Amino acid sequence: GQNIDQPTEMTATEGAIVQINCTYQTSGFNGLFWYQQHAGEAPTFLSYNVLDGLEEKGRFSSFLSRSKGYSYLLLKELQMKDSASYLCAVLDSNYQLIWGAGTKLIIKP
Amino acid sequence: GAVVSQHPSWVICKSGTSVKIECRSLDFQATTMFWYRQFPKQSLMLMATSNEGSKATYEQGVEKDKFLINHASLTLSTLTVTSAHPEDSSFYICSARATDSRDRVSDTQYFGPGTRLTVL
């Protein structure tokens, strides 16, 4: 079966750095996405990785290792507004998006 | 950009009535749109994949006669919840998949703001 694993919840301090991990087992791979979802709102696109390595975009970076079936989202200089759920999703061989359950990130002052 | 609109944002209706939700891609064409449902504190659940000009593909357990999907153009898909009941109360979110690579990431799903449905 297809499976995406990410921690259910994480807590971090304002100004700090946090890394949210995602491991996957899917039938084929055509890229991995990270989305941010604030409570009561729809997800918003953060990043897309299809090749191994690190993609940096401002305070957010996303890393992919296809051989390990592993990705992480790195958030730097955390702000209170970063409190949200972070969803990892993989595009499989049929171009279907397989979703993780999301990681709820709690930022404390 | 990649803007997807959804209308209405929220709706309250009586049990037994039908509700139509519209999803539009405003600045790009989307041959494929997706309809999701999300209950409080739960993951996104894909309901169906909507393809322009053809029938929607429903996920297992989703009643196609209850959740009617029409994708009449490259920028519009509609979801009609027929004979809605309180258990259909949920947050319905559509997304549109970008297939070009101008200022968008190809194959990325861009989400509408969602529609909160409450059935009394």
Side-chain angles (χ1 to χ4, degrees):
Chain A
Q2 310 210 84
N3 197 47
I4 310 275
D5 286 315
Q6 50 181 132
T8 304
E9 188 174 295
M10 298 182 71
T11 302
T13 305
E14 190 177 14
I17 300 173
V18 71
Q19 177 175 311
I20 302 174
N21 295 324
C22 171
T23 57
Y24 62 89
Q25 299 94 38
T26 56
S27 55
F29 179 84
N30 280 300
L32 185 144
F33 297 85
W34 284 96
Y35 285 84
Q36 180 190 60
Q37 185 178 24
H38 284 101
E41 298 181 11
T44 55
F45 168 73
L46 288 178
S47 68
Y48 171 67
N49 293 68
V50 68
L51 299 176
D52 290 349
L54 188 69
E55 295 275 346
E56 296 186 77
K57 195 186 291 186
R59 294 189 298 114
F60 293 5
S61 303
S62 56
F63 171 83
L64 175 68
S65 169
R66 287 172 298 171
S67 62
K68 295 181 179 178
Y70 167 70
S71 172
Y72 68 72
L73 180 68
L74 190 72
L75 293 77
K76 302 177 186 176
E77 300 168 19
L78 286 170
Q79 301 175 9
M80 297 303 292
K81 67 178 182 179
D82 297 329
S83 293
S85 287
Y86 291 86
L87 310 176
C88 172
V90 171
L91 205 58
D92 71 7
S93 57
N94 295 318
Y95 285 88
Q96 296 299 311
L97 205 55
I98 312 300
W99 292 90
T103 298
K104 182 178 180 181
L105 177 62
I106 300 168
I107 309 295
K108 295 186 175 179
Chain B
V3 182
V4 178
S5 72
Q6 213 173 314
H7 178 80
S9 301
W10 56 269
V11 59
I12 301 173
C13 67
K14 292 182 180 180
S15 185
T17 59
S18 293
V19 175
K20 180 188 275 190
I21 303 169
E22 291 187 351
C23 178
R24 293 180 187 272
S25 56
L26 298 184
D27 54 354
F28 65 101
Q29 293 184 334
T31 54
T32 306
M33 291 184 172
F34 303 86
W35 287 96
Y36 292 86
R37 182 166 54 182
Q38 188 175 36
F39 293 105
K41 298 185 180 179
Q42 293 190 22
S43 305
L44 288 172
M45 189 196 82
L46 179 65
M47 298 175 67
T49 302
S50 169
N51 297 298
E52 188 267 337
S54 64
K55 290 183 179 179
T57 304
Y58 290 81
E59 296 300 302
Q60 194 171 8
V62 178
E63 300 173 59
K64 61 176 128 182
D65 294 330
K66 180 169 182 63
F67 299 100
L68 301 178
I69 291 172
N70 183 279
H71 194 154
S73 77
L74 288 172
T75 59
L76 173 64
S77 176
T78 61
L79 167 69
T80 302
V81 183
T82 61
S83 186
H85 288 98
E87 58 265 29
D88 298 324
S89 298
S90 187
F91 191 41
Y92 292 86
I93 315 171
C94 75
S95 70
R97 184 162 71 197
T99 53
D100 61 47
S101 58
R102 278 181 282 184
D103 54 350
R104 294 173 281 274
V105 176
S106 188
D107 290 324
T108 297
Q109 289 186 29
Y110 294 93
F111 286 85
T115 297
R116 195 161 300 282
L117 171 63
T118 302
V119 185
L120 303 177

